[in-house]
């Protein structure tokens, strides 16, 4: 009996997965040059496919299959992939069922519209244009928490969508430690008598050569170009359509080569994760990264622990020089290393260095938590933002565009997402400490340009499991710890004391 | 009552149309650089979406709606778009109902895979690699004819999918006339004492400049870049996803600029058709070109009657010179014109000149007709191909890559498609004769670079109607004739007698 149901269930989730892959291709296409006059009609296509995914995920068949497969007599006979997939579908179903369909579809329309309103408001640097939309979005998310239910803190329900297992308690503790250590470290750095030279960062670097360099670096990271491609976009991203098709985009700024080089390494880190998920998960909801935070740990591991490591540039600096227009000719490797690790307060999150980045995230986390718990109202956001920016980074935005309006996330209703970015830093540092035990000659590998053992270690510990292990399970299996901020703090202190000769 | 059914019907065909658009984006993506390791999985996604289209097109709802809307009391109250859509869906339904669903979805997967096998076989110039796939594809098409039924000749059923209204009888007559006139014309031309100079065609023309020139020419044709984009592919094509997103691809050969220039004009002609379909047809099966032959008439009109016209180059020759590396500096416009119109026997269809092109098509038509009628087997194709090539063009391929393996079409199961190409020439010449009455100063417009009236005439007579008028109806409305080979024959004789000073 059960075999039959199991097979029908697998066919249903394969179908859902195929729809999601089509949605992924359409999304990639929209972001890589789809003609603007076709966008409205394309949105309707996306709507049709998304509705179908919703319908299948909450269908009577799905409910029936889950019920039958969860029966004690059947459960034990299922393979681990099916078990994991059933649990994933059950979790989704329990949430989706509780959302009133009418309010949900109104919300979908609202957020679809809100992104362009946000963009207009940002261009005008005027929060009040976006405010009425954001109020409705926050209102929906507050209601969502009530519908779905919550434990201890309302924000936990939203966190669970992006970082299952993480709670406000854990994050308050971790982010508290980061704040306590990074805020003073930032002061040390900004007041250091030594400040890295940076003028060479901003000289003309031809786009074609940046592209060649990006491809070279992706190849050395073991990114598989037969299972991916590199394109250019305004907002770089990586997208896993299936493990054989994981695409990376980047952006070439001829006045700052770092955008492309570190952006490509970052997205390449995301892509390695998706390319190396065990094929047995294809066609199930387990065939993706397990959480936004673990995903970000992979991109940040490559961007910072590899790409901003001096040993990496011992191998790659000559190549960089040969591709450049000569701006590095009189810059030593040490000066170059210090220059690409310059740190300091700045307004814009996506331009922040690896030391201050977490502070930008903590700011958003604290505001989101207060909003969802009803302790802050949308109309008061701009002032709250600026106050917190001053408290954490010591600077105050002069307008909403460089403050509260800078990120797209809230216009799409992505509350609970931001913490993943800082958790990614914390996880990456924890993984690095664990890797040090298995690969003590890490820096030597970088200086030899042999990144294969590093990629293989990450595949073995993280990538191959897809979504079959939850974030905390991965941490436990790999580091024998829970979330622990100390590794990141120690890394940042050591690194920035060295860069700033403190 | 009927309004309600009409609306439900329109929603259903809108949904089908949305799925087809998604399929179109995925197909475009597969042909413009999708990573090869993802192709198998992507084929399954296409299978899922195609099955859904099949399911919706043959659903109880569809049958019920058609039945109710076709009722005499209702029919008259429907608008013309709905009426056209109902007839289109009814026609599809009558066919699709007869195809077993399982065999259909297996066939979709088979043809998705067969394309890459064909490509490998072509690279290896070894037909036997492709043969087992082609056998299954031909087998399906033979069964398809049996399932759907046929009149007079089995091949008519396949023709009807690409060129509704055309039959083997009509085509035998038209192609017979072409063969009777072109084979001797080809002999006249090859034995003429005057042969155009062509050395300058094959000198280095930088790729970037070819791209700029291609964009320039597309713009002058009134191709709307806000509703499209230009990419590069091995096998150029145009695809209409919706009238706001109609994409063109081309290929740059630095040793032969004609590939890009005339290829881009050709695909641009297809694209103009799709960009200018009346918006009222969006979301219905009428929102596409009415047949492959009429489509080809548009691309060939632009490629040959415009792009290979001396008056066109009176305007564009200086620009071409400025983009080139200097190979035209000592070539007069007359020499250039003769050079780009050089004709003679050749192996590869897509490189054939406009005189011999139809002979390449007649070869394929005769082989397909024999295959479908069981008078020829797949294993005997290579020899049959080579024999016919010798009969029609007087040359014999030395291997399968320059013979039977050269075209992608059969790998996708497109039997019945090839005749459209030659019909496109015939139609284009008929349209040109009709246009001459309305636009007697055609050549003057070309020499002034004012292509707008030409594009507008074609939009008015052909483009805007989408699939709401059948091919023979368009011919009748625009030319007051049926299919008539005489216009093309007269055009070719006049042109090549002039080029070859005969």
């Amino acid at each position: 009996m059960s075999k039959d149901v199991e097979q029908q269930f697998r066919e249903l989730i394969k179908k859902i997965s195929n729809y999601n892959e089509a949605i992924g291709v359409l999304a990639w296409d929209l972001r890589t040059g789809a003609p603007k006059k076709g966008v409205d009609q394309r949105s309707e296509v996306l709507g049709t496919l998304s509705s179908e995914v919703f319908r299948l995920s909450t269908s009577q068949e799905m409910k029936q299959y889950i019920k039958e497969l969860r029966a004690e007599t059947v459960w034990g006979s299922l393979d681990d992939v099916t078990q994991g997939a059933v649990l994933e579908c059950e979790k989704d179903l329990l949430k989706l069922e509780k959302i009133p369909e009418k309010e949900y579809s109104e919300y979908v329309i609202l957020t679809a519209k809100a992104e362009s309103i946000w963009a207009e408001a940002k261009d005008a640097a005027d929060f009040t244009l976006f405010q009425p939309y954001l109020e409705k979005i926050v209102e929906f998310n507050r209601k969502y928490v009530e519908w779905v239910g919550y434990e201890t803190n309302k924000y936990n329900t939203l966190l669970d969508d992006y970082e299952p297992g993480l709670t406000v308690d854990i994050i308050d503790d971790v982010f508290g430690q980061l704040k306590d250590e990074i805020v003073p470290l930032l002061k040390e750095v900004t007041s250091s008598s030594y400040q890295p030279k940076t003028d060479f960062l901003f000289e003309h670097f031809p786009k074609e050569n940046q592209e060649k360099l990006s491809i070279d670096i992706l190849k050395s990271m073991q990114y598989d170009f037969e299972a991916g491609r590199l394109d250019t976009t305004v907002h770089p991203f990586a997208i896993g359509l299936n493990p054989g098709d994981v695409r990376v985009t980047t952006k070439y700024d001829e006045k700052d080569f770092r955008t492309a080089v570190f952006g490509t390494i970052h997205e390449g880190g995301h892509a390695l994760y998706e390319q190396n998920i065990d094929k047995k998960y294809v066609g199930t909801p387990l065939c993706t990264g397990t959480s936004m935070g673990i995903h970000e740990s992979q991109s940040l591991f490559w961007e910072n622990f590899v790409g901003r490591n001096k040993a990496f540039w011992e191998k790659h600096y000559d190549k960089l020089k040969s591709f450049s227009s000569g701006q590095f000719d009189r810059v030593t490797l040490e000066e170059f290393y210090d220059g690409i690790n310059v740190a300091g307060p700045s307004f814009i999150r996506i331009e922040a260095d690896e030391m201050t980045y977490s502070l930008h995230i903590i700011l958003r986390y604290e505001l989101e938590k207060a909003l969802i718990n009803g302790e802050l109202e949308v109309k008061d956001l701009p002032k709250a933002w600026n106050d917190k920016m001053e408290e954490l980074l010591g600077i105050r935005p002069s307008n909403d565009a460089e403050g509260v309006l800078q990120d797209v996330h809230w216009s799409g209703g992505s509350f609970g997402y931001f913490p993943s970015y800082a958790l990614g830093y914390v996880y990456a540092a924890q993984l690095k400490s664990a890797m040090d035990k298995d690969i003590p000659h890490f820096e030597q590998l970088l200086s030899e340009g042999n990144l294969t053992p590093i990629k293989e270690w990450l595949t073995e510990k993280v990538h191959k499991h897809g979504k079959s292990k939850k974030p905390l399970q991965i941490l436990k299996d790999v580091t024998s710890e829970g979330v622990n901020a100390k590794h990141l703090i120690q890394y940042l202190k050591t690194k920035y004391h060295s860069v700033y000769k403190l």
Side-chain angles (χ1 to χ4, degrees), chain A:
Chain A
M1 189 273 314
S2 80
K3 260 301 154 221
D4 210 38
V5 179
E6 184 176 356
Q7 198 185 317
Q8 288 174 306
F9 169 74
R10 291 295 291 260
E11 279 166 18
L12 177 58
I13 61 174
K14 172 77 183 157
K15 192 171 178 181
I16 293 173
S17 156
N18 283 346
Y19 278 109
N20 280 325
E21 182 166 333
I23 289 169
V25 176
L26 267 59
W28 173 85
D29 183 70
L30 276 174
R31 296 166 77 177
T32 53
K36 68 178 199 179
K37 287 186 182 170
V39 169
D40 281 352
Q41 166 52 24
R42 188 65 35 77
S43 306
E44 292 195 30
V45 176
L46 282 166
T48 297
L49 294 172
S50 304
S51 300
E52 193 63 14
V53 167
F54 186 91
R55 195 185 67 73
L56 294 171
S57 305
T58 56
S59 61
Q60 275 312 315
E61 289 86 341
M62 179 62 91
K63 290 174 192 169
Q64 189 59 29
Y65 298 154
I66 290 176
K67 194 178 156 200
E68 292 188 30
L69 295 172
R70 289 287 269 156
E72 238 172 283
T73 47
V74 178
W75 187 248
S77 72
L78 302 177
D79 72 35
D80 60 339
V81 178
T82 304
Q83 283 190 349
V86 170
L87 294 177
E88 218 30 66
C89 292
E90 188 179 39
K91 189 180 166 184
D92 277 356
L93 181 62
L94 288 174
K95 275 186 190 163
L96 293 175
E97 278 188 316
K98 290 177 182 159
I99 309 171
E101 204 172 322
K102 184 166 167 285
E103 307 213 30
Y104 180 74
S105 62
E106 282 169 6
Y107 180 65
V108 169
I109 294 164
L110 171 68
T111 49
K113 210 174 172 188
E115 183 169 334
S116 55
I117 304 290
W118 161 78
E120 284 169 29
K122 189 183 170 192
D123 283 346
D126 183 356
F127 181 74
T128 60
L129 297 175
F130 181 47
Q131 186 182 320
Y133 286 82
L134 188 57
E135 277 166 353
K136 284 185 196 153
I137 292 169
V138 168
E139 184 57 28
F140 178 89
N141 278 276
R142 286 172 177 169
K143 282 198 270 183
Y144 173 83
V145 172
E146 298 297 336
W147 292 325
V148 173
Y150 66 94
E151 282 179 26
T152 323
N153 189 300
K154 292 182 177 180
Y155 192 68
N156 282 338
T157 300
L158 299 176
L159 272 178
D160 190 61
D161 288 344
Y162 300 97
E163 212 55 30
L166 274 282
T167 61
V168 164
D169 283 348
I170 297 173
I171 294 179
D172 279 346
D173 174 43
V174 168
F175 284 8
Q177 292 182 53
L178 291 180
K179 200 155 60 162
D180 289 348
E181 300 283 350
I182 295 174
V183 170
L185 181 61
L186 174 58
K187 289 197 178 117
E188 271 190 276
V189 154
T190 48
S191 58
S192 166
S193 62
Y194 173 76
Q195 293 292 328
K197 282 200 293 189
T198 57
D199 52 332
F200 57 84
L201 301 175
F202 308 107
E203 285 177 42
H204 185 84
F205 198 130
K207 196 185 128 160
E208 313 80 65
N209 287 354
Q210 290 191 40
E211 187 176 358
K212 284 179 197 151
L213 183 63
S214 296
I215 292 170
D216 258 22
I217 292 177
L218 281 174
K219 283 183 181 165
S220 77
M221 289 168 67
Q222 310 298 305
Y223 172 79
D224 182 355
F225 271 96
E226 291 195 346
R229 51 182 283 170
L230 176 65
D231 295 87
T232 58
T233 41
V234 181
H235 303 287
F237 64 96
I239 186 169
L241 299 162
N242 67 58
D245 188 352
V246 182
R247 304 180 183 191
V248 173
T249 74
T250 193
K251 183 166 85 171
Y252 302 109
D253 178 348
E254 295 198 318
K255 289 284 164 217
D256 190 348
F257 73 95
R258 295 176 306 172
T259 305
V261 168
F262 296 109
T264 305
I265 298 175
H266 181 98
E267 301 306 337
H270 281 304
L272 286 181
Y273 193 176
E274 297 280 332
Q275 280 189 337
N276 292 291
I277 295 173
D278 194 317
K279 300 268 191 301
K280 72 181 178 184
Y281 298 119
V282 170
T284 79
L286 306 178
C287 196
T288 183
T290 190
S291 73
M292 302 312 302
I294 296 291
H295 233 305
E296 202 66 15
S297 78
Q298 298 307 295
S299 53
L300 292 169
F301 187 95
W302 286 97
E303 180 185 349
N304 295 326
F305 290 89
V306 176
R308 285 201 170 81
N309 193 308
K310 197 187 288 177
F312 178 81
W313 290 104
E314 283 169 15
K315 171 70 184 176
H316 287 91
Y317 193 41
D318 283 345
K319 182 178 285 169
L320 179 84
K321 280 182 171 172
S322 75
F323 280 127
S324 77
S325 305
Q327 65 260 50
F328 307 113
D329 287 355
R330 270 169 287 182
V331 180
T332 67
L333 176 62
E334 285 66 31
E335 288 169 325
F336 174 78
Y337 172 72
D338 290 352
I340 60 170
N341 283 297
V342 68
S346 63
F347 292 114
I348 305 300
R349 175 183 62 87
I350 58 169
E351 292 166 7
D353 55 81
E354 60 176 315
M355 177 170 51
T356 57
Y357 192 91
S358 300
L359 301 178
H360 289 263
I361 295 307
I362 292 169
L363 176 155
R364 287 154 179 79
Y365 165 68
E366 293 182 354
L367 297 178
E368 284 192 354
K369 198 173 55 164
L371 277 172
I372 297 303
N373 282 295
E375 296 152 7
L376 176 67
E377 292 309 319
V378 169
K379 68 175 169 45
D380 302 320
L381 256 183
K383 182 173 181 305
W385 180 290
N386 293 351
D387 290 347
K388 249 191 213 309
M389 182 62 106
E390 208 160 353
E391 172 198 333
L392 291 168
L393 287 142
I395 53 176
R396 192 171 186 92
S398 61
N399 64 56
D400 295 340
E402 64 180 24
V404 68
L405 284 175
Q406 68 182 269
D407 299 307
V408 68
H409 302 59
W410 290 341
S411 76
S414 303
F415 287 92
Y417 186 149
F418 277 121
S420 308
Y421 288 116
L423 289 169
Y425 276 87
V426 172
Y427 299 160
Q430 291 185 257
L431 292 173
K432 177 59 169 52
S433 294
M435 189 187 282
D436 284 341
K437 291 175 192 141
D438 294 332
I439 309 181
H441 56 302
F442 180 84
E443 247 111 27
Q444 192 191 323
L445 291 173
L446 296 197
S447 66
E448 290 165 357
N450 178 11
L451 305 178
T452 308
I454 295 165
K455 178 237 156 189
E456 282 176 357
W457 190 93
L458 290 169
T459 293
E460 189 57 32
K461 305 291 184 188
V462 182
H463 304 163
K464 73 174 189 182
H465 305 294
K467 206 173 180 172
S468 71
K469 282 188 180 184
K470 295 282 163 285
L472 293 175
Q473 189 64 46
I474 288 179
L475 286 186
K476 192 175 162 220
D477 291 350
V478 183
T479 72
S480 310
E481 291 187 317
V483 190
N484 185 346
K486 298 208 163 32
H487 300 271
L488 177 62
I489 291 165
Q490 191 51 54
Y491 160 77
L492 290 175
K493 280 187 177 170
T494 307
K495 176 164 190 174
Y496 284 98
H497 281 164
S498 154
V499 169
Y500 280 83
K501 329 288 184 212
L502 292 165

